[in-house]
Each structure stands twice: as C-alpha cells, then as structure tokens.
Short mmCIF file of all heavy atoms in Angstrom, two decimals:
data_model
loop_
_atom_site.label_atom_id
_atom_site.label_comp_id
_atom_site.label_asym_id
_atom_site.label_seq_id
_atom_site.Cartn_x
_atom_site.Cartn_y
_atom_site.Cartn_z
N ASP W 1 -8.08 16.03 11.11
CA ASP W 1 -6.80 16.05 11.81
C ASP W 1 -6.32 17.50 11.92
O ASP W 1 -5.65 18.01 11.03
CB ASP W 1 -5.76 15.20 11.09
CG ASP W 1 -4.42 15.16 11.81
OD1 ASP W 1 -4.32 15.70 12.94
OD2 ASP W 1 -3.46 14.57 11.26
N ALA W 2 -6.68 18.14 13.02
CA ALA W 2 -6.33 19.56 13.19
C ALA W 2 -4.83 19.77 13.32
O ALA W 2 -4.35 20.90 13.18
CB ALA W 2 -7.04 20.12 14.41
N TYR W 3 -4.06 18.70 13.58
CA TYR W 3 -2.62 18.82 13.78
C TYR W 3 -1.82 18.60 12.49
O TYR W 3 -0.59 18.72 12.51
CB TYR W 3 -2.16 17.84 14.86
CG TYR W 3 -2.64 18.23 16.24
CD1 TYR W 3 -3.91 17.87 16.67
CD2 TYR W 3 -1.84 18.98 17.09
CE1 TYR W 3 -4.38 18.24 17.93
CE2 TYR W 3 -2.29 19.35 18.35
CZ TYR W 3 -3.56 18.98 18.76
OH TYR W 3 -4.02 19.36 20.00
N ALA W 4 -2.49 18.29 11.38
CA ALA W 4 -1.80 18.16 10.10
C ALA W 4 -1.34 19.54 9.64
O ALA W 4 -2.15 20.45 9.52
CB ALA W 4 -2.72 17.52 9.06
N GLN W 5 -0.04 19.67 9.40
CA GLN W 5 0.54 20.98 9.10
C GLN W 5 1.08 21.11 7.69
O GLN W 5 1.07 22.21 7.12
CB GLN W 5 1.70 21.27 10.06
CG GLN W 5 1.34 21.18 11.52
CD GLN W 5 2.56 21.30 12.41
OE1 GLN W 5 3.49 22.05 12.13
NE2 GLN W 5 2.58 20.54 13.50
N ARG W 6 1.54 20.00 7.11
CA ARG W 6 2.27 20.08 5.85
C ARG W 6 2.01 18.80 5.06
O ARG W 6 2.22 17.70 5.58
CB ARG W 6 3.78 20.24 6.14
CG ARG W 6 4.68 20.40 4.95
CD ARG W 6 6.12 20.50 5.42
NE ARG W 6 7.07 20.50 4.33
CZ ARG W 6 7.62 21.60 3.82
NH1 ARG W 6 7.33 22.78 4.32
NH2 ARG W 6 8.49 21.51 2.82
N ILE W 7 1.54 18.94 3.83
CA ILE W 7 1.28 17.78 2.98
C ILE W 7 1.64 18.12 1.53
O ILE W 7 1.73 19.29 1.16
CB ILE W 7 -0.20 17.33 3.03
CG1 ILE W 7 -1.12 18.46 2.56
CG2 ILE W 7 -0.59 16.83 4.41
CD1 ILE W 7 -2.53 18.00 2.26
N ASP W 8 1.81 17.08 0.74
CA ASP W 8 1.94 17.24 -0.71
C ASP W 8 0.56 17.17 -1.35
O ASP W 8 -0.32 16.45 -0.88
CB ASP W 8 2.84 16.15 -1.29
CG ASP W 8 4.28 16.27 -0.82
OD1 ASP W 8 4.71 17.40 -0.52
OD2 ASP W 8 4.97 15.23 -0.74
N ALA W 9 0.39 17.91 -2.43
CA ALA W 9 -0.91 17.97 -3.10
C ALA W 9 -0.70 18.25 -4.58
O ALA W 9 0.42 18.52 -5.03
CB ALA W 9 -1.79 19.05 -2.47
N ARG W 10 -1.80 18.17 -5.33
CA ARG W 10 -1.76 18.45 -6.77
C ARG W 10 -2.75 19.57 -7.08
O ARG W 10 -3.87 19.58 -6.55
CB ARG W 10 -2.10 17.19 -7.56
CG ARG W 10 -2.03 17.35 -9.08
CD ARG W 10 -2.23 16.01 -9.76
NE ARG W 10 -3.51 15.42 -9.37
CZ ARG W 10 -4.68 15.71 -9.96
NH1 ARG W 10 -4.71 16.58 -10.96
NH2 ARG W 10 -5.78 15.12 -9.55
N VAL W 11 -2.35 20.49 -7.92
CA VAL W 11 -3.23 21.58 -8.34
C VAL W 11 -4.27 21.04 -9.33
O VAL W 11 -3.90 20.45 -10.34
CB VAL W 11 -2.43 22.73 -8.98
CG1 VAL W 11 -3.37 23.84 -9.45
CG2 VAL W 11 -1.39 23.27 -8.02
N VAL W 12 -5.55 21.23 -9.01
CA VAL W 12 -6.61 20.73 -9.89
C VAL W 12 -7.34 21.84 -10.62
O VAL W 12 -8.03 21.58 -11.62
CB VAL W 12 -7.62 19.85 -9.12
CG1 VAL W 12 -6.95 18.62 -8.56
CG2 VAL W 12 -8.31 20.64 -8.01
N ALA W 13 -7.22 23.08 -10.16
CA ALA W 13 -7.89 24.19 -10.84
C ALA W 13 -7.29 25.51 -10.37
O ALA W 13 -6.80 25.62 -9.24
CB ALA W 13 -9.40 24.18 -10.57
N THR W 14 -7.32 26.52 -11.24
CA THR W 14 -6.95 27.88 -10.86
C THR W 14 -7.97 28.83 -11.47
O THR W 14 -8.55 28.55 -12.53
CB THR W 14 -5.54 28.27 -11.36
OG1 THR W 14 -5.49 28.17 -12.78
CG2 THR W 14 -4.48 27.35 -10.75
N GLU W 15 -8.19 29.95 -10.80
CA GLU W 15 -9.10 30.98 -11.31
C GLU W 15 -8.72 32.30 -10.67
O GLU W 15 -7.66 32.43 -10.08
CB GLU W 15 -10.56 30.60 -10.99
CG GLU W 15 -10.80 30.20 -9.54
CD GLU W 15 -12.17 29.59 -9.33
OE1 GLU W 15 -13.11 30.39 -9.15
OE2 GLU W 15 -12.28 28.35 -9.33
N ARG W 16 -9.59 33.30 -10.79
CA ARG W 16 -9.32 34.61 -10.22
C ARG W 16 -10.45 35.03 -9.30
O ARG W 16 -11.62 34.76 -9.57
CB ARG W 16 -9.17 35.66 -11.33
CG ARG W 16 -7.96 35.46 -12.22
CD ARG W 16 -6.73 36.10 -11.61
NE ARG W 16 -5.53 35.83 -12.40
CZ ARG W 16 -4.32 36.27 -12.09
NH1 ARG W 16 -4.15 36.99 -10.99
NH2 ARG W 16 -3.29 35.98 -12.83
N SER W 17 -10.09 35.72 -8.21
CA SER W 17 -11.11 36.28 -7.34
C SER W 17 -11.68 37.55 -7.97
O SER W 17 -11.17 38.05 -8.98
CB SER W 17 -10.50 36.61 -5.97
OG SER W 17 -9.58 37.70 -6.09
N GLU W 18 -12.72 38.09 -7.37
CA GLU W 18 -13.31 39.32 -7.87
C GLU W 18 -12.32 40.47 -7.83
O GLU W 18 -12.38 41.39 -8.65
CB GLU W 18 -14.56 39.68 -7.06
CG GLU W 18 -15.72 38.71 -7.26
CD GLU W 18 -16.95 39.12 -6.49
OE1 GLU W 18 -16.89 40.17 -5.78
OE2 GLU W 18 -17.98 38.43 -6.59
N SER W 19 -11.38 40.42 -6.89
CA SER W 19 -10.36 41.46 -6.79
C SER W 19 -9.17 41.20 -7.70
O SER W 19 -8.23 42.01 -7.76
CB SER W 19 -9.88 41.58 -5.35
OG SER W 19 -9.32 40.37 -4.90
N GLY W 20 -9.19 40.06 -8.40
CA GLY W 20 -8.12 39.76 -9.35
C GLY W 20 -7.01 38.89 -8.81
O GLY W 20 -6.07 38.56 -9.55
N ASN W 21 -7.09 38.48 -7.55
CA ASN W 21 -6.04 37.63 -6.99
C ASN W 21 -6.22 36.18 -7.45
O ASN W 21 -7.35 35.72 -7.62
CB ASN W 21 -6.08 37.68 -5.46
CG ASN W 21 -5.65 39.02 -4.92
OD1 ASN W 21 -4.82 39.71 -5.51
ND2 ASN W 21 -6.22 39.41 -3.79
N PRO W 22 -5.12 35.46 -7.63
CA PRO W 22 -5.22 34.06 -8.05
C PRO W 22 -5.86 33.19 -6.97
O PRO W 22 -5.59 33.36 -5.78
CB PRO W 22 -3.76 33.65 -8.30
CG PRO W 22 -3.00 34.93 -8.45
CD PRO W 22 -3.71 35.92 -7.58
N LEU W 23 -6.67 32.24 -7.41
CA LEU W 23 -7.29 31.25 -6.54
C LEU W 23 -6.83 29.88 -6.98
O LEU W 23 -6.81 29.58 -8.18
CB LEU W 23 -8.82 31.35 -6.61
CG LEU W 23 -9.45 32.69 -6.26
CD1 LEU W 23 -10.94 32.65 -6.52
CD2 LEU W 23 -9.17 33.05 -4.80
N VAL W 24 -6.49 29.03 -6.03
CA VAL W 24 -5.94 27.71 -6.35
C VAL W 24 -6.76 26.65 -5.61
O VAL W 24 -7.00 26.76 -4.40
CB VAL W 24 -4.46 27.61 -5.93
CG1 VAL W 24 -3.92 26.21 -6.19
CG2 VAL W 24 -3.63 28.66 -6.65
N VAL W 25 -7.19 25.62 -6.36
CA VAL W 25 -7.88 24.47 -5.78
C VAL W 25 -6.95 23.27 -5.86
O VAL W 25 -6.35 23.02 -6.91
CB VAL W 25 -9.20 24.18 -6.53
CG1 VAL W 25 -9.93 22.98 -5.89
CG2 VAL W 25 -10.11 25.41 -6.52
N LEU W 26 -6.83 22.53 -4.76
CA LEU W 26 -5.93 21.39 -4.66
C LEU W 26 -6.72 20.11 -4.44
O LEU W 26 -7.86 20.14 -3.98
CB LEU W 26 -4.96 21.61 -3.50
CG LEU W 26 -4.16 22.91 -3.53
CD1 LEU W 26 -3.50 23.16 -2.18
CD2 LEU W 26 -3.12 22.87 -4.64
N ASP W 27 -6.08 18.98 -4.74
CA ASP W 27 -6.78 17.71 -4.52
C ASP W 27 -6.80 17.31 -3.04
O ASP W 27 -7.58 16.45 -2.64
CB ASP W 27 -6.17 16.59 -5.37
CG ASP W 27 -4.75 16.20 -4.93
OD1 ASP W 27 -4.08 17.04 -4.28
OD2 ASP W 27 -4.32 15.08 -5.24
N ARG W 28 -5.98 17.98 -2.21
CA ARG W 28 -6.01 17.78 -0.76
C ARG W 28 -5.38 18.99 -0.11
O ARG W 28 -4.49 19.63 -0.69
CB ARG W 28 -5.32 16.48 -0.36
CG ARG W 28 -3.87 16.36 -0.77
CD ARG W 28 -3.40 14.91 -0.83
NE ARG W 28 -3.56 14.22 0.43
CZ ARG W 28 -2.56 13.93 1.27
NH1 ARG W 28 -1.31 14.31 0.98
NH2 ARG W 28 -2.78 13.26 2.36
#
C-alpha cells in the first residue's frame, strides 16, 4: 500500500550504525 502514510507500531530492536547513529526496528 504505497499510500499508507501513518501507522502505530512497536519498537522491537535498537542498535547503532557504523557512524554511531541510532537504528530502530519496528514490528510494522
């Protein structure tokens, strides 16, 4: 659905990129 713009989600994981920026994985 290319027109989906805004949804609720849950954070399932966080880590760091090689440059040190936060990375966030969501369940959707």
Side-chain angles (χ1 to χ4, degrees):
D1 182 6
Y3 290 84
Q5 304 173 37
R6 183 182 174 98
I7 60 166
D8 294 332
R10 182 174 58 85
V11 178
V12 297
T14 60
E15 49 190 276
R16 294 276 175 180
S17 69
E18 292 183 359
S19 60
N21 291 329
L23 302 174
V24 177
V25 181
L26 305 166
D27 68 338
R28 59 202 302 255

